[in-house]
Amino acid sequence: MAATFTFGAGNARKLLRLPLYALGGLATLLVPRSSRQWAFGSGIGLGEGALPLYRLARERLPERTRLVWLATTDAELGAATALGLDAVAKHSARGFWLTLRSRVLVVTHGFGDVNRYATRGAFFVQLWHGIPLKKLHLDSPATLRIRGVPDHRLVRAVLRRAYRFAGRGIDLFPVASELVAPRIASAFGVHPERIVPLGDIRDDVLLAPPASEARSAGRRLLAAASGAVDDGTRVILYAPTWRDGATDPGVPTVEEWAMLARWLEARDAVLLVRAHPLGLGDYAAGPAVSDRIRMLGSDRLVDVTPVLAGVDALVTDYSSIAYDYALTGGPIVFLAPDVELYARKRGLYENYRVFSDDRHVTTWQHVLEHLDEVGTGSELGARIARHTVWLREEHFDTLDGRAAERVLREILARTGGGDATAPTPGADPGAPDGIRRARVTQLAFAEVDGVPALQVTVEAPGRETTTVRLEGARARVEAPAAPNGVRDARLPLLVERWGAAGLALPSGAYRLTLGGAVATSRLVVDAALPPRFTHPLFHAQLRAVGGGLELTVSAPLADDERGRTAQRRLERAYRRERPQPENAVFLESFYGQSASCNPAGIAEVLRRSRPEVTRYWSVVDGSVAIPDGDRRLIEGSREWWRVRGSARVLVVNDWLRKRYRKRPHQHVLQTWHGTMLKRLALDRVSPGLRTRLAVRRESGRWDALLAQNAYSAKVFRSAYAFTRGTWDEGYPRNDRLAMGADTERIRAAVGIPAGARVVLYAPTWRDDRTEMVDYLDLTSFAQSLGPDHVLLVRGHSRTLRYGRDLEAERLVDVTGYPDVSDLLQLADVLVTDYSSVMFDFASTGRPVIFFTPDLAHYSSDLRGFYFDLLAEAPGPVVRTREELLDAIADIEVTRERYRQQASRWRERFTPLDDGHAGERVVQRMVDAGWL
């Protein structure tokens, strides 16, 4: 199957058609529209929500009103005519004229569903084609490109302007629920008043008839399109989305097709493959293996929604079909082998782990394992069933199958053609018109015993509710709830994180959610929203959005410090001022995300030996714990800018930012954050001119560069063109590894049971990804280690702001834990890939395993290495999950086998990590006259 559309090509074609748009726009100014004429079209052909709305309008509107279906192909034109529709080819002169004259235009995919050059001035109804999971138009980087034109910000700006202009032409955009409305407003630039939760018309066919009738009708359509299917035969539908010209990575291999055929035969099942009409992938090998594998192409079945009730299980990835299928109550298995790459390229409105219940798989073997659990009493089977309910109740407002009636009433009301509040003829007034929601009746910010909190009163009669919580990506607070309702829940806004009390929640959005058998964040808000709450550690603002409540937590910046304009003003003042030198050290680690690493080791020595030196920590917000006696600086605050110019010494472990201007009294110590295997800066393959200039400008700000060993010093001089001397003193962050640490305190803070063996998995970040890599299916991998193990999962600091913490039995996601040195102290075994922790961990003498499934890609395409890891690694290098499990199980044998290599590794990379590196660094600062 060949792809027929990409965003880049589509945008290029639109640019070439600008003269036609201009001529069409002129015609709309000269030709009046007729209120007695409506035109319909759909991007897939004869189907989607446009077809049932056409039929309902034909039934309800006066006979003198002409309804025309605008067809794209001759086949569609013939099919529409055969169904008794008044059909015309949209690209013909007649199609242009009918579009030009129609008062109402109804489409499912966009302006091109009718004659795109004659839409201006009509009442334009955009039905869309499902609830969006993947980001659309203005929200997605994939859509803001033009084929043959460089991906430049000016190009993106022009396309954004064009999309916003088009969005202003949409007069009514029905959506499935209030939760979906903000996505559409953001993606299309449509005014929120025009986005109305009336339901998705294409789903009426699943909801209006009784379930048994819908299933029978679906089975008949399936038989007509793909061949006979016995009533007792299990029907599995595989329906991947498209990838903007890329091939579906879920296409089974030859071996997997054979495995699927055996499984289907053994279970009397049929697999129907519904490739996206615009997708790319060769599925022909499947039907060749077995007649139980069949194609369900758009050439045989234009609209797939009506057959979903006849399907017994769905396998999909990021397609909106998951939401539609959830209305049938059927089970869904999520096959997503490229989830991180897809999310980065296209973008998703929901975190995929939440959308998929954190049980998406990457192979067909795991798909079959999940399908075998469907309908059983197992934990996985129950999760699959609950998740279908969650998809349905969270994303839809009405389940009555009357979306078309509501949309028609809304069109008539907005065009002056009828009363939108009048009862719909033939409707049953006693039928349910929505899902019963819990109600929020009181909201207030308050301080009780000095602890700020959000006080909430929620009424949820008849709903099983165990907790009420504020849920974000990396943090959560909750309070218990009564079984049949929630009364006066108090949610603290200062929390304990990793053993440190009194911290703010990390900045971000937190959705008010009711926990239970099926959680929900969909709430009716019957309470006034309190004003913004300000606290020395955070600011908090409540807003009603997406059919629920969202608490936004932000850094405690004053009004005149907040926003780009304020920051530019503060920066100008910083650059103009000549501050008095202050006997202080400005410390920053990982761009203010923690008070850790080498700066923390240096600060600890300063605290003991030079207490008169003020220690300021630059942090992003009040969620970052700082050591007692040190001072917190919120990045971007007036005081932050002041200290950045007055402190005698700046100690950082990554690049300086915000256009740092060095004063004559200042010195900068760049500690960096690890010995390197992967190539850095100027040593990377073909760095661009912009990169080369940025690297030299940055390294020119440093007075000294700390190196863990002689090897690192040599690399730094090359990678950063650093001509000043390096300080080869070892890493202060590893002093605690050499001297010992309070492991019991750390185990308690992390939540590790007594006696459990700790496996720390700490992969590095990838230049082509945002979230942590997961080649292991970590939640299930933790179970495979055995009941006496705990798996700690540590993503790189660059992945901290993305994704969500993993949650599973015997697994603790410690990506947000402030100091990796503590975790290295706990680990009985380290599993990493190309991360610098491989060097730090060496000083413990404990075993390390290298899990490198993408070794060739990483070393050749992404970064490149300074030396051959396979030849010098102090532990086994494995590439599969099974090999890793074996290596952990046989770790003592492996440890002995690699004893000599591990010894050579320590001699080369950690000879200076003796517990006194921090003391040596501080002494050099003193000797150099910095303090």
Side-chain angles (χ1 to χ4, degrees), residues 119 196 209 233 259 295 297 339 457 540 569 657 667 730 756 792 826 926:
T119 60
V196 189
T233 297
M259 175 185 66
M295 296 301 299
V339 59
T457 299
R569 185 173 58 251
R657 297 162 297 139
H667 295 88
L792 302 185
L826 294 183
V926 173

Side-chain angles (χ1 to χ4, degrees), residues 519-774:
T520 183
S521 70
R522 299 297 313 283
L523 306 166
V524 177
V525 182
D526 281 344
L529 300 181
R532 186 178 70 178
F533 183 78
T534 61
H535 184 274
L537 289 178
F538 67 93
H539 290 176
Q541 181 77 58
L542 266 176
R543 63 181 186 134
V545 60
L549 275 171
E550 189 172 275
L551 179 76
T552 301
V553 176
S554 58
L557 296 174
D559 289 341
D560 63 352
E561 299 169 340
R562 193 179 294 273
R564 290 184 179 180
T565 301
Q567 285 299 300
R568 282 195 294 266
R569 185 173 58 251
L570 289 169
E571 182 183 337
R572 285 195 298 268
Y574 156 79
R575 298 180 70 80
R576 287 195 309 264
E577 292 172 354
R578 297 182 178 180
Q580 289 296 314
E582 182 179 1
N583 191 26
V585 177
F586 175 100
L587 302 141
E588 186 176 84
S589 181
F590 299 115
Y591 300 143
Q593 295 183 106
S594 64
S596 64
C597 195
N598 290 315
I602 293 170
E604 186 173 342
V605 175
L606 286 172
R607 202 172 299 118
R608 296 194 312 263
S609 64
R610 308 284 293 195
E612 73 281 6
V613 177
T614 305
R615 299 167 303 281
Y616 291 102
W617 277 102
S618 167
V619 296
V620 292
D621 58 25
S623 70
V624 179
I626 64 170
D628 291 340
D630 295 2
R631 298 188 185 182
R632 178 184 282 109
L633 286 177
I634 301 297
E635 180 183 329
S637 66
R638 185 171 283 99
E639 179 70 354
W640 183 87
W641 284 106
R642 184 194 70 78
V643 174
R644 209 163 181 249
S646 65
R648 289 187 178 277
V649 179
L650 288 85
V651 179
V652 297
N653 78 341
D654 215 318
W655 285 33
L656 288 159
R657 297 162 297 139
K658 303 252 186 176
R659 296 179 65 189
Y660 170 69
R661 179 187 177 188
K662 191 174 183 180
R663 268 55 174 193
H665 64 269
Q666 290 187 312
H667 295 88
V668 176
L669 173 61
Q670 171 60 261
T671 72
W672 206 242
H673 47 270
T675 289
M676 62 299 297
L677 166 67
K678 52 184 180 283
R679 290 186 175 273
L680 302 176
L682 300 177
D683 288 345
R684 297 178 65 176
V685 177
S686 302
L689 177 61
R690 186 176 179 181
T691 298
R692 294 198 298 270
L693 292 174
V695 167
R696 290 178 182 276
R697 182 181 66 244
E698 176 66 19
S699 63
R701 296 166 170 170
W702 307 336
D703 293 283
L705 177 54
L706 182 63
Q708 187 177 14
N709 45 58
Y711 159 80
S712 294
K714 180 180 179 181
V715 170
F716 280 138
R717 287 192 290 270
S718 169
Y720 284 98
F722 191 72
T723 57
R724 301 174 182 86
T726 58
W727 290 7
D728 304 355
E729 302 292 355
Y731 266 180
R733 73 177 182 183
N734 293 335
D735 285 352
R736 65 179 63 190
L737 292 180
M739 305 300 288
D742 184 358
T743 55
E744 290 306 313
R745 175 190 62 81
I746 302 170
R747 289 177 75 97
V750 174
I752 299 174
R757 194 177 189 205
V758 177
V759 176
L760 173 62
Y761 177 56
T764 193
W765 67 295
R766 302 300 195 272
D767 299 76
D768 60 351
R769 302 187 179 212
T770 53
E771 295 191 37
M772 181 184 67
V773 294
D774 182 1

Side-chain angles (χ1 to χ4, degrees), residues 842-857:
S843 62
T844 69
R846 294 192 288 274
V848 58
I849 303 170
F850 298 87
F851 177 59
T852 61
D854 62 341
L855 179 63
H857 172 62

Side-chain angles (χ1 to χ4, degrees), residues 108-111 124 126-130 132 135-139 160-170 173 175 181-191 195 349:
T108 63
H109 286 65
F111 291 90
F124 196 86
Q126 175 70 73
L127 298 180
W128 207 238
H129 43 281
K135 288 189 174 181
L136 306 172
H137 294 193
L138 291 166
D139 294 336
R160 284 193 184 94
R161 190 175 184 88
Y163 275 119
R164 290 190 184 280
F165 179 80
R168 290 198 295 270
I170 298 174
F173 205 131
V175 292
R183 304 179 189 179
I184 297 301
S186 174
F188 288 83
V190 180
H191 192 281
I195 305 169
Y349 287 110

